[in-house]
Amino acid sequence: MIALLVISCIVTARGFTPTPTTTHAPEPTPTTTALNSASSATPDTKAAWGTFIDGEDADTTSLPQFTIPKTELLRRAAEILSPEVGIGTKDGGACLSPDFEFVAAVVGPIGREEYLSALGSFNLEDGFDIIPNFYGMSVDPMQPNRVWFFNRVTATHTGTFMGAEPSGKEIVSPPQVHHLDFDEDGKVREYGFYTADRRQGNTGGLGGAFGFMWAVGKPLPIPECQPYKKSFRFRMLSFVGGFLQKLQKKED
């Protein structure tokens, strides 16, 4: 199971290339209009934008610093995701620090050797044509050795996978948030990812290999490989809470 999830993360990280920009400017939206006009906003609006600690006019002198500059760290993260490196799959793990750990929502942390040994046991690409669709790369201003980024994996079921014959099904994973932590030598100390919005996509809200399993009807028989379901205790707590609210309204 660990190998399945680890490999799925790595496969979706291969072949990273920045999404090309459009040749024409998009129509302005309320959000982009607000962003573009922030510098000329009213004092109240400026105060609201001031809550962003990495804003254009924010004072970052009190924030923690890292030995690798922000622009270089972003370049290094893109390199780690490139086809030539593939988060350790193409360079024999040279990009990984000795104390590297992989961690996801329900798997890990696992160490460097276990991570690397999992690479030869499973290949998600044999069953799917995968497009990782990365975007939104940024450096965490409060943990400046960490790079965050998102992706929305799309795939086509083109080969046999866990006994499921190729169906041509289009698979859309929910958006996932990833992170890469670097040491001072530019090696990856930690890699992980988590589902950001389980209501999107057609994988039951599941990310990584678990989502692929669910999409083709081959989920593992464990709760972690199933779509989220409220526990009996939580359902009962919600029922009692709703019932008490109705009683309160009647009394009012």
Side-chain angles (χ1 to χ4, degrees), residues 42-172:
T42 64
D44 288 342
T45 305
K46 284 187 175 182
W49 281 104
T51 61
F52 287 83
I53 61 174
D54 60 345
E56 182 178 343
D57 299 325
D59 181 7
T60 61
T61 55
S62 62
L63 293 175
Q65 303 297 315
F66 188 49
T67 53
I68 303 176
K70 178 179 177 180
T71 53
E72 175 61 20
L73 200 64
L74 292 173
R75 186 203 64 77
R76 177 60 175 160
E79 181 183 359
I80 295 297
L81 296 173
S82 70
E84 293 75 27
V85 180
I87 319 181
T89 65
K90 300 296 185 180
D91 66 349
C95 68
L96 309 178
S97 70
D99 58 348
F100 168 84
E101 288 185 323
F102 168 81
V103 60
V106 298
V107 174
I110 63 174
R112 185 178 187 275
E113 297 308 315
E114 186 176 1
Y115 172 86
L116 291 173
S117 67
L119 304 182
S121 61
F122 185 76
N123 192 349
L124 202 62
E125 289 177 308
D126 290 342
F128 302 92
D129 181 15
I130 301 171
I131 304 175
N133 299 314
F134 287 108
Y135 62 95
M137 188 177 283
S138 64
V139 174
D140 190 326
M142 300 186 71
Q143 186 182 337
N145 72 321
R146 171 167 290 197
V147 174
W148 293 101
F149 53 99
F150 293 85
N151 78 331
R152 287 175 175 261
V153 176
T154 57
T156 304
H157 184 200
T158 57
T160 303
F161 176 68
M162 297 183 66
E165 295 300 322
S167 62
K169 180 177 181 178
E170 297 296 324
I171 296 170
V172 181

Side-chain angles (χ1 to χ4, degrees), residues 26-27 32 46 68 82 92 116 124 161 180 185 207 210 223-224 240:
E27 292 295 324
T32 56
K46 284 187 175 182
I68 303 176
S82 70
L116 291 173
L124 202 62
F161 176 68
L180 289 167
D185 295 322
F210 294 169
E224 290 80 3
V240 172

Side-chain angles (χ1 to χ4, degrees), residues 179-197:
H179 72 270
L180 289 167
D181 291 357
F182 291 89
D183 64 18
E184 294 184 350
D185 295 322
K187 293 184 179 295
V188 180
R189 177 172 290 164
E190 181 177 301
Y191 168 59
F193 77 101
Y194 307 85
T195 295
D197 187 350

